[in-house]
Every structure is written in C-alpha cells, then in structure tokens.
Amino acid sequence: HPPPVATDKEEQKRLLENRPDQPQNPKVLRIAIIGAPNAGKSTLSNQLLGRKVFPVSKKVHTTRCKARGVITHQDTQLIILDTPGLTSPLKAKRHNLDEAMLTDPWDSMKHADLVLVLVDVSDHWTRNSLSKEVLKCLSQFPHIPSVLVLNKVDILKKKFLLLEIATDLTEGIVNGKKLEVKSTLKQDSRIHITRASPTESKVPRSTFGQEKNQAQEGSGLDRSSDVGAAGTGEAQRPEHHGPEDLKHKKGWPHFQEIFMLAALRGEEVDTLKRYLLMQAKPGPWEFHSDVLTSQSPQEVCDNIIREKILEYLPLEVPYGVTQVTEMWEEGECGELLIVQSLLVPRESHKRMLIGRGGKVISRIAQEAGQDLMNAFLCDVRLKLKVEVK
C-alpha cells in the first residue's frame, strides 16, 4: 500500500530531507507527464501513486505548480513530475497564470528519463493531432524516450476510431516500425489495445512484451516493416525539428509504445505502471520510501480544496479565491483539525461560494475532507469560512 502523506509539516520536511533508504541495487525512473490542459495528467498521476495527492478538475489549469509524486516498489523508485498543462502565453494571460506555468513543463522535461504524452481521445476536436505546445516540447528534447498514452478510451463509443487516432498521432510509426491495422479487428468494438504489439523475431521484443503476452492479444496495431536503420530493427534517433517543420506536423513518429487506458476508472493503469517499473535504470533513489509527494501537507490540502472550488463555481470566479489556513492541529483522538478562510473579492462571489442555505460550501468541505482522509490516512475535520477581502 502506498504510504500516507505526513500530516505534520515538520515531519514531512524531515522525510524529504532524510537520506533515502537505498536498497542494495536501486533503480530509478523520472517520468514527465505532458499534454494539453485537461487531458487527465493529474488523474493518471493519482492512479499510479495509489492515493490522491494531485488536484483534479474539469476546469483547465487545476495544476499550477510543479509537484512530484513518488512510487517506491521493491528496489525501484518512479518519480512522477506532474506538470501543468502545456499552454500558450496568450491563454496563460487570460487565466492570470504564473510565468512559471509556461516554463515549468519545459523544466520537468530537462530532468525526465521518459516522457508520457497524454491525449484525451474523448475530445473529437483535438484527438487527431498533438497540440503545437506538445510537439514543440518533444522536438526540443528528441533524445528523451517518449510513450503515447491515449486516455478516456471508456468514453469513446466507436472503438475502431482508436486505430485511426493512434495512426494520426504517431504518423503511422511506433519504435521505428510501421503500424498496420489487422483487418479482422476493424469490426471489433472491444479492441483492448494496450500497446502496439511487436511482430517477427527480428524486432527486438521489449521485456514488457515477454512478461505480458496477453496484452498483445487484443491489439489492433501491428508493427511490421522496419523504418529505422536498415535491417537492424533499431529506431532512428529523431532529429531536432525547428518551428517551421512543426507547422504542418500532426503527430510524432518517435514514440516507443502506445498505451490505451481510462485513468479515472483505473483501467489498464497497472499495465502502464508495470511497463514504467521495467524501464527504470540503475541509479540512487531521490526520496525516502515513506515519501509519496514532494508537496507539504498544507499544499496538498490547499490544492484539494481549490479543486472543489473550481468544480462548483462558475467560470472565472474560483481563480480569484485566496486561501488562508487559520488552524492546523491534532485533536484529542488523533484527528486532524483544519480551519481555512476563503477570501473572495466581491460580495456576489461570497454568496455563490456559500450557496443557498450554505449548500455549496458544506459540499466542498465534505468532499475535500474525504479526499484529505485518503491522502493523510486519518480522520479529518475541515471547516471552511468565506469572507470578502
């Protein structure tokens, strides 16, 4: 079971500053998860971690800071760099976003050993091409191995579209092999594609393929002819692309794998997690095995409350709320007592946040309290007050 987040600020600080409890042969993998705002990056991070520590909301830009999630499994540590959605300077200005929101994803890429590119296949406007920001990111760091993750496949009614989407986003090439659609599966609405399956013995099989053959069975993607270095089965190293080359690009032909999952329901997340664990390379752990996130307990709390405010308030209102923690202490029975003031700029915002008969604010407090119990693994009593600043 994943460890809880420490409720005490000093204890969490001590854990983060402690020397990691290195096993004999430690392995590590730093993973940057990038994608358009709202692709489901934080939901996937939480599912991989096994506990909710990153805020999730249907509104864009719920994630505003660079936080790390830590998965420790036996001798392996996966470090998830949960990044804000890649956005343009113009959109950032519209949402009063920090400068940091524009540079953080790039910053995370610099430290990553592997990048997961998340695409929401339920969005028919954006699903057939990677966003310009994502392509720019990939082309600036072509040496970092990348994996395509198609998310929200459970919402997609016509499963055969997954093949078309995968072909568009990879330009028909995965790991230096051409993708081919098996005609028998075209009519099959139950396509459980977890990744493109390797074919022919000359293709170097990934260790993951050997471990989980059944993952390939329902696969509608087939890598056949080599596109990489002649006859070796090795994918060619991607070259650096300039802004002009990217103008007409829709996909990225250098992905190593494709995964299809439903992060919210946890479907196929374990398959991806096993793959990530197997990609880890020998190297020292960065964190103690009791650490689940680099955030302080207060940051986890603020983010979760803010997530609920984003969820229940209309449009731009939540972006003007300031949170002030007035009380954070342990009760007599070991429960955590938290009192937080929510400061809003206008009386009308205050009325909206409280809701008729206090319904909205009590719902926010109740749901945030539940999530905090899950993160801290203890009883939480949360009280929220609303004031005009």
Side-chain angles (χ1 to χ4, degrees):
H1 289 286
V5 179
T7 55
D8 180 60
K9 193 177 176 178
E10 291 308 311
E11 190 188 335
Q12 174 73 343
K13 200 174 163 194
R14 203 165 49 245
L15 272 175
L16 290 170
E17 287 169 359
N18 263 2
R19 289 182 60 178
D21 44 343
Q22 304 285 357
Q24 232 177 346
N25 301 302
K27 288 189 283 189
V28 71
L29 186 75
R30 290 170 201 81
I31 305 146
I33 304 181
I34 66 168
N38 231 350
K41 296 178 293 297
S42 297
T43 302
L44 178 59
S45 300
N46 287 334
Q47 288 283 8
L48 287 167
L49 288 166
R51 230 176 259 302
K52 183 170 177 178
V53 294
F54 294 122
V56 177
S57 153
K58 292 185 193 76
K59 294 249 171 65
V60 295
H61 307 308
T62 309
T63 301
R64 296 190 154 215
C65 63
K66 230 184 356 186
R68 302 190 166 204
V70 185
I71 299 162
T72 306
H73 179 78
Q74 294 167 358
D75 60 357
T76 305
Q77 195 164 77
L78 304 178
I79 298 160
I80 297 173
L81 316 163
D82 187 50
T83 53
L86 290 180
T87 191
S88 63
L90 188 71
K91 285 180 190 160
K93 203 170 173 190
R94 194 187 309 156
H95 285 97
N96 299 326
L97 301 178
D98 266 323
E99 257 320 284
M101 293 274 300
L102 293 168
T103 56
D104 276 356
W106 307 90
D107 202 42
S108 293
M109 288 289 286
K110 283 180 208 147
H111 305 290
D113 305 312
L114 179 79
V115 57
L116 297 184
V117 176
L118 204 59
V119 175
D120 172 1
V121 295
S122 71
D123 186 339
H124 66 277
W125 297 105
T126 59
R127 66 189 175 204
N128 286 83
S129 61
L130 294 172
S131 78
K132 287 286 168 274
E133 280 80 20
V134 167
L135 279 169
K136 197 167 145 195
C137 213
L138 289 169
S139 68
Q140 287 221 347
F141 302 92
H143 56 285
I144 301 174
S146 55
V147 169
L148 177 64
V149 179
L150 301 183
N151 189 23
K152 310 188 190 180
V153 295
D154 53 323
I155 304 174
L156 196 64
K157 298 270 193 294
K158 300 170 179 170
K159 295 290 186 269
F160 64 86
L161 287 173
L162 287 170
L163 304 171
E164 184 192 302
I165 294 165
T167 307
D168 284 346
L169 297 179
T170 60
E171 293 189 353
I173 298 165
V174 175
N175 201 18
K177 312 285 172 293
K178 247 199 184 111
L179 285 183
E180 287 195 351
V181 177
K182 291 180 185 171
S183 57
T184 50
L185 285 175
K186 268 189 175 166
Q187 292 81 33
D188 186 358
S189 63
R190 298 175 302 102
I191 300 171
H192 298 298
I193 311 168
T194 45
R195 63 189 200 86
S197 66
T199 56
E200 304 164 13
S201 56
K202 66 175 178 172
V203 178
R205 292 178 69 103
S206 71
T207 43
F208 179 70
Q210 290 156 8
E211 181 222 353
K212 193 165 173 20
N213 284 325
Q214 68 269 32
Q216 296 161 20
E217 281 169 14
S219 173
L221 300 178
D222 193 10
R223 297 206 206 111
S224 56
S225 54
D226 289 342
V227 189
T232 61
E234 284 295 313
Q236 274 177 329
R237 188 138 288 233
E239 336 72 61
H240 193 91
H241 293 277
E244 275 308 304
D245 309 331
L246 296 177
K247 206 177 269 181
H248 307 293
K249 274 180 95 69
K250 281 171 67 176
W252 182 248
H254 308 294
F255 288 118
Q256 297 203 335
E257 300 284 352
I258 302 175
F259 286 87
M260 308 208 175
L261 47 82
L264 193 59
R265 291 162 63 163
E267 286 174 18
E268 290 297 341
V269 173
D270 271 351
T271 310
L272 174 62
K273 190 171 177 174
R274 277 199 295 276
Y275 170 79
L276 295 173
L277 288 164
M278 296 189 80
Q279 299 306 305
K281 302 278 187 287
W285 284 3
E286 269 184 50
F287 295 95
H288 192 278
S289 58
D290 283 340
V291 171
L292 189 69
T293 177
S294 61
Q295 301 167 90
S296 72
Q298 277 86 348
E299 282 174 322
V300 172
C301 175
D302 284 356
N303 283 334
I304 283 175
I305 293 169
R306 210 171 64 81
E307 167 203 305
K308 306 301 174 196
I309 298 170
L310 281 165
E311 206 57 37
Y312 292 118
L313 288 191
L315 296 168
E316 300 299 313
V317 177
Y319 299 101
V321 176
T322 306
Q323 294 164 261
V324 179
T325 301
E326 293 185 359
M327 182 167 129
W328 184 287
E329 60 187 51
E330 197 177 307
E332 286 171 19
C333 308
E335 76 276 29
L336 181 60
L337 307 171
I338 304 170
V339 178
Q340 191 169 94
S341 282
L342 306 173
L343 309 178
V344 292
R346 296 193 188 97
E347 193 64 44
S348 58
H349 291 186
K350 179 181 173 178
R351 284 196 298 273
M352 274 188 232
L353 187 45
I354 292 172
R356 188 175 290 172
K359 271 193 181 150
V360 176
I361 196 70
S362 57
R363 190 172 178 183
I364 288 171
Q366 191 188 352
E367 289 185 15
Q370 284 293 330
D371 284 350
L372 292 171
M373 282 188 211
N374 172 275
F376 298 132
L377 269 196
C378 71
D379 281 336
V380 175
R381 284 171 58 193
L382 173 66
K383 188 180 173 190
L384 298 176
K385 302 192 293 190
V386 187
E387 293 166 20
V388 177
K389 62 183 171 193

